[in-house]
Amino acid sequence: MKQLVILGGGFAGLWAAMSAAGERVDADADAGKIDITLISKDAHLVIRPRLYEGGGEDKRVPLKPLLDKIGVRFIQATIGSIDPQDKSVFFSDHTHAKISYDAVILATGSYLKQLNITGVKQYGFSADTYEETEKLDQQLTRIVAVQEESAKTLVVIGAGFTGLELATELRSRLKKKSDKTCRIILVDKEEIAGAELGVNPKPYIDEALRLHNIELRLGTSVKELTENSVTLTDGEVIATQTVVFANGIEANKLTSSFGKPDAGAQGRLAVAQDLSIPGYDNAFGAGDVVWAYTEPLVPSDDSELMTSSEKSLAYNSDRPRTLFSCQHAIQLGRFAGYNAIKKLRGQPGKDYEQTFYATCLDLGDWGALFTTGWDRVADKTGVEGKEMKKMINTQWIYPPSSESSAEEIYAFVAFDEEETAA
């Protein structure tokens, strides 16, 4: 029996498992010849894009019931290392335990960048994991109940997508806990809040920050953190007991098992257009650990002279590539699962593409900003944008219920006739 092992139980890993299980059934009536295993340190799919809202069981989906329904084995374990030459995965929390594979999908995700700054580990907060989100929830409950002046100020480090959502939503979350007035300060090394989002969203972001009375400290960053203050690199000292980090994410370090990650792409691996990892037999990548181009290559005289692998991996700044995002992780997982089964069957797979790109930025009581295209042109704003955000956050990014039948789950991830024609 051949073994497909999927590493990671986030969006990419779970969608890869559903897609692989569906293709295993469709590809051959003798489906039992391929065994599929998903390994994750967490028993749940954490709905990470919603953690800026706070904790709650609606932010977690149990993996095992859904995987059981589609015949995918689940192992809850921490992956210590991968040996792609021996085709083995070793667990760090099980003595000498390992699992061998015939094909593997690396989908171990990303995490908040760790800053080498005094006090960050002891006194910093984040919404990067479910556990960190619960810790921040507890801190918010604590600070509204104490009298110290430093408790009335909250500082968010990073004015990118996550930082903006955190800062604006914190105002709403605090209102639900107390009628006390708190200061919220947003810090970023860039000179513009939301610089990574480009020029089109800026007027809406600025309007929302004014509405929430969020103070900005731009062109600076953190120098030191203590229990009751944060010192910025420009010398300003802010009295605070709550510093929340949203300073960007980077790929899981297990990417180094398959070669040298791309330092210019936050430690992600470049993969071929079919999501295979070049140089490694039957190895695929999906989600935040890899980058791939989202659109097919337009033929040119130069491209005609290149091999398929060279076309996939040659970096071209004019071609959009995947970002750290739920929408890309889901589709990458879907393609990777499909292609891994095809490869084990000795059949051609399908090149990944995802030409539609949109963002929906939650801006608290102001509403939300829904944009389309890589230049992020506003499509829906305010209340209308908030309704779109609610739809995305509570429906579109969730997997099927474990109460669904296997056939319904397979249909949920199946490619339509146009997609499979390639």
Side-chain angles (χ1 to χ4, degrees):
M1 179 182 293
K2 293 181 179 179
Q3 303 285 336
L4 168 60
V5 175
I6 299 168
L7 308 179
F11 289 101
L14 180 56
W15 260 257
M18 292 188 293
S19 181
E23 184 56 29
R24 176 179 60 178
V25 171
D26 291 341
D28 196 310
D30 195 6
K33 287 187 176 180
I34 298 179
D35 183 56
I36 304 172
T37 300
L38 185 146
I39 304 169
S40 176
K41 65 177 180 163
D42 200 315
H44 300 83
L45 164 69
V46 176
I47 310 300
R48 197 175 177 197
R50 293 190 63 189
L51 292 184
Y52 71 93
E53 301 174 13
E57 285 307 307
D58 59 334
K59 313 298 191 310
R60 300 196 295 181
V61 177
L63 288 168
K64 193 172 187 305
L66 182 55
L67 295 173
D68 283 347
K69 186 62 66 77
I70 56 176
V72 173
R73 181 165 59 132
F74 175 61
I75 298 176
Q76 186 175 357
T78 300
I79 301 164
S81 63
I82 306 165
D83 183 346
Q85 306 303 330
D86 187 51
K87 293 188 175 181
S88 298
V89 178
F90 298 85
F91 304 141
S92 63
D93 47 1
H94 293 71
T95 305
H96 303 302
K98 74 171 186 177
I99 185 171
S100 298
Y101 62 80
D102 296 287
V104 67
I105 298 174
L106 180 69
T108 46
S110 59
Y111 49 75
L112 184 72
K113 289 180 183 177
Q114 302 301 303
L115 301 178
N116 187 24
I117 295 170
T118 302
V120 170
K121 290 183 179 180
Q122 299 95 315
Y123 307 116
F125 295 87
S126 80
D128 188 49
T129 67
Y130 189 82
E131 292 72 24
E132 284 293 319
T133 297
E134 286 191 313
K135 181 181 172 184
L136 178 57
D137 284 343
Q138 294 164 7
Q139 175 70 352
L140 297 183
T141 299
R142 187 190 73 79
I143 62 173
V144 297
V146 299
Q147 299 302 317
E148 293 101 318
E149 192 64 28
S150 59
K152 298 178 182 179
T153 298
L154 296 86
V155 179
V156 177
I157 307 298
F161 201 99
T162 301
L164 290 166
E165 291 196 321
L166 268 170
T168 52
E169 188 65 20
L170 279 174
R171 180 71 75 198
S172 304
R173 289 165 67 180
L174 288 166
K175 283 181 182 178
K176 296 175 183 177
K177 295 177 179 292
S178 170
D179 57 2
K180 287 184 179 179
T181 300
C182 291
R183 293 174 71 200
I184 297 177
I185 301 173
L186 187 59
V187 178
D188 199 275
K189 62 183 180 181
E190 301 292 339
E191 297 291 344
I192 299 172
E196 66 181 39
L197 298 175
V199 297
N200 288 322
K202 186 180 184 303
Y204 307 98
I205 292 170
D206 291 346
E207 182 181 326
L209 293 176
R210 287 193 296 270
L211 174 70
H212 290 91
N213 193 27
I214 292 173
E215 301 175 34
L216 296 176
R217 301 291 189 274
L218 301 174
T220 187
S221 56
V222 181
K223 180 179 180 181
E224 183 181 9
L225 184 61
T226 70
E227 186 176 5
N228 291 293
S229 70
V230 60
T231 302
L232 304 183
T233 53
D234 62 5
E236 182 180 4
V237 178
I238 302 171
T240 178
Q241 296 180 12
T242 309
V243 179
V244 188
F245 286 85
N247 52 283
I249 58 179
E250 58 189 0
N252 184 283
K253 298 299 185 185
L254 286 170
T255 53
S256 61
S257 303
F258 295 93
K260 187 176 180 180
D262 187 343
Q266 297 81 42
R268 295 178 290 168
L269 288 170
V271 291
Q273 208 60 36
D274 66 352
L275 308 186
S276 61
I277 301 175
Y280 296 90
D281 184 42
N282 291 3
F284 296 83
D288 286 355
V289 290
V290 302
W291 70 260
Y293 291 115
T294 61
E295 298 180 6
L297 181 68
V298 177
S300 68
D301 292 340
D302 290 339
S303 69
E304 292 301 325
L305 301 175
M306 300 168 68
T307 67
S308 176
S309 178
E310 287 172 334
K311 290 178 185 179
S312 297
L313 300 176
Y315 178 58
N316 182 342
S317 60
D318 293 329
R319 295 178 65 195
R321 59 178 177 170
T322 55
L323 303 175
F324 288 117
S325 70
C326 173
Q327 65 182 302
H328 286 147
I330 285 173
Q331 282 294 82
L332 287 165
R334 183 170 167 246
F335 275 81
Y338 175 90
N339 284 346
I341 295 295
K342 286 290 190 181
K343 185 71 180 289
L344 288 175
R345 295 290 190 199
Q347 300 168 344
K350 175 177 174 57
D351 280 352
Y352 161 78
E353 63 177 280
Q354 189 172 354
T355 57
F356 179 74
Y357 175 67
T359 62
C360 198
L361 177 67
D362 197 340
L363 292 169
D365 289 342
W366 179 87
L369 172 64
F370 178 73
T371 71
T372 57
W374 288 94
D375 52 357
R376 299 186 178 94
V377 174
D379 184 88
K380 301 179 190 300
T381 64
V383 174
E384 189 180 17
K386 196 78 164 184
E387 287 300 312
M388 176 65 78
K389 185 69 170 181
K390 182 178 179 181
M391 183 78 71
I392 294 168
N393 272 9
T394 61
Q395 297 183 40
W396 292 356
I397 62 176
Y398 277 73
S401 165
S402 60
E403 299 299 316
S404 305
S405 68
E407 291 72 23
E408 288 171 327
I409 295 170
Y410 300 149
F412 181 81
V413 294
F415 293 100
D416 59 31
E417 290 184 8
E418 182 178 340
E419 289 177 301
T420 55

